[in-house]
Amino acid sequence: MSNPVTLYLPLLTHADPLVRRQATTILLTHYGNRALTYLRRLLDDPELSEQAQIALRHISEISGLRIELRPFRGVYVHCFGEFQVFIDSRMIKAEEWGQSETGRAGGRKVQGIFAYLVHCGAQWCFPSRDCIGSVG
């Protein structure tokens, strides 16, 4: 399952406010702010959009957090377990990582390099900066 928050949707939209409060507490305790990103990614899903919007409103009311009710836009990288990359709310499929006409690296190598760069984060500097990146 690419979005674990879908399991919480029936509880977050439940008629009983106590059920919604408990589900919100568990969700935010377990996933933190990532839960909100997961829910915002669901706003692009025609089947789950309405439920996700209701869930986000309930979480905002219960937690007092300011929550954006618009679909997630950006790059989301999931590195634990199965490696997944999402651009906006669309997951990059395995065949899209494949070798291009002129490239020599296969999809798994490209994924590995990308995951390594994400993992290193700010340790790496690009030519436009005046610093030396560190490895390891």
Side-chain angles (χ1 to χ4, degrees), residues 44-58:
D44 278 336
D45 185 329
E47 294 177 16
L48 301 174
S49 176
E50 188 176 333
Q51 274 187 299
Q53 195 169 56
I54 292 167
L56 283 166
R57 282 195 195 109
H58 287 164

Side-chain angles (χ1 to χ4, degrees), residues 11-126:
L11 299 172
L12 294 168
T13 59
H14 197 276
D16 185 347
L18 185 58
V19 172
R20 292 193 307 260
R21 178 174 297 281
Q22 289 173 342
T24 297
T25 301
I26 293 168
L27 183 69
L28 293 177
T29 300
H30 186 73
Y31 292 103
N33 284 339
R34 286 180 298 148
L36 305 177
T37 302
Y38 284 134
L39 281 167
R40 286 183 56 211
R41 283 181 27 216
L42 292 176
L43 293 175
D44 278 336
D45 185 329
E47 294 177 16
L48 301 174
S49 176
E50 188 176 333
Q51 274 187 299
Q53 195 169 56
I54 292 167
L56 283 166
R57 282 195 195 109
H58 287 164
I59 290 172
S60 179
E61 292 168 7
I62 291 166
S63 68
L65 294 172
R66 185 175 159 263
I67 297 174
E68 296 182 51
L69 293 175
R70 60 183 176 86
F72 174 77
R73 296 292 178 248
V75 177
Y76 183 83
V77 179
H78 182 85
C79 290
F80 296 109
E82 182 183 350
F83 179 74
Q84 298 173 327
V85 176
F86 296 84
I87 296 180
D88 295 337
S89 295
R90 189 182 75 77
M91 185 171 87
I92 305 300
K93 298 177 182 142
E95 59 270 11
E96 294 175 312
W97 288 97
Q99 184 172 345
S100 69
E101 293 176 20
T102 59
R104 293 181 57 95
R108 297 300 271 166
K109 286 182 184 178
V110 172
Q111 283 181 348
I113 291 168
F114 185 77
Y116 181 73
L117 291 172
V118 167
H119 173 73
C120 289
Q123 294 177 14
W124 282 93
C125 296
F126 296 93

